[in-house]
Amino acid sequence: MSTILTISGSPSASARTGVLVDHVNARLVEAGHDVRTLRVRQLPTLPLLTEDMNDPAIAEAVTLVLRADGIVVASPVYRAAYSGLVKALLDLLPKRALRGRAILPLATGGSQGFLVAMDYALNPLLAGKGADHVVRGEFVLDNRIRPELGDSALDPEAELAVSAAVDRFAAALADVGYRRKRGTAQLRPAV
C-alpha cells in the first residue's frame, strides 16, 4: 500500500491532538498502509527554528516528508491558527514539497469558532508548499476527545467524522498512486 507520514504538531503525547493522531494512524495501519509519525516536538529546537538543514534530525524529517505518498498534518488550534510546531516544520520544506501527494489536514480546538483555522490558516499554509490534492480534513472539538478512555477516546460523533476523513484520504491515496504510475502531472480536484 502507500507510505504515509503523519506530522503531529501536538505539544505532548497525551494532548488531544496526539490522541487523535494515534487514532488515525491505527486506522491507516489497519487498512494496510505503512505509517510513520513525525512528532515535531521531538525535533531539536534550535536547528528547527534556524532551519539548519545540516542537523541530522532535521534532514531526516525533510526526507520523510519528501518520500511519503500521503501526509496527515495534525495540529491543535490556538487563537484561530495552527501550531507553531507545524509551521516551523513546513517552513523547512522546499516550495513544492507537497505537490503530488494526498494531504489530510486535521485540527483540534476548544471551540467551534476555531473551525475557520482549517480553511483560512492550515489549508493556505499547505497550498504554499505546493499541496495540490488536499482532502477535506476534520476539526475535532477538544471535548469530543477523552484521552483517559484509551482506544475509545473519540466520542461516537467524532469517530464517525474522523473515519469519513480517513476514508476520503485513502481514496485520494489510491488516486495519487494511480496517477503517479501513469505519469500524469495533473491531479483531479481534492475530494
Side-chain angles (χ1 to χ4, degrees):
M1 284 252 145
S2 298
T3 300
I4 298 168
L5 177 66
T6 301
I7 298 172
S8 175
S10 179
S12 74
S14 61
R16 284 169 172 77
T17 304
V19 172
L20 179 61
V21 162
D22 291 344
H23 180 81
V24 168
N25 285 351
R27 293 232 31 229
L28 292 167
V29 167
E30 285 173 14
H33 299 287
D34 177 24
V35 180
R36 297 212 38 198
T37 304
L38 176 57
R39 292 175 176 82
V40 185
R41 71 177 179 279
Q42 293 177 340
L43 292 174
T45 306
L46 187 58
L48 176 65
L49 296 178
T50 60
E51 300 180 13
D52 181 359
M53 298 303 290
N54 292 317
D55 182 271
I58 299 301
E60 180 183 2
V62 171
T63 299
L64 287 171
V65 172
L66 297 176
R67 289 188 178 159
D69 298 314
I71 300 171
V72 176
V73 179
S75 177
V77 174
Y78 304 113
R79 298 183 184 170
Y82 43 76
S83 151
L85 289 171
V86 168
K87 173 78 164 94
L89 177 73
L90 293 179
D91 281 349
L92 296 171
L93 302 176
K95 185 170 176 91
R96 295 191 164 285
L98 301 181
R99 186 168 195 221
R101 291 168 177 74
I103 309 292
L104 174 63
L106 299 172
T108 60
S111 81
Q112 197 66 32
F114 290 150
L115 175 62
V116 299
M118 296 283 286
D119 292 333
Y120 294 103
L122 188 54
N123 287 346
L125 176 67
L126 297 170
K129 289 301 176 177
D132 53 1
H133 203 80
V134 178
V135 175
R136 183 170 47 90
E138 196 59 47
F139 175 83
V140 182
L141 285 169
D142 286 344
N143 64 5
R144 297 197 176 274
I145 304 172
R146 298 191 44 213
E148 69 277 5
L149 296 180
D151 289 343
S152 57
L154 273 62
D155 77 8
E157 187 176 323
E159 167 65 34
L160 190 62
V162 170
S163 293
V166 170
D167 290 346
R168 289 189 298 272
F169 182 59
L173 282 166
D175 184 54
V176 167
Y178 173 75
R179 290 177 184 280
R180 277 187 177 176
K181 284 181 186 173
R182 284 189 43 217
T184 307
Q186 283 287 22
L187 297 172
R188 67 182 174 160
V191 213

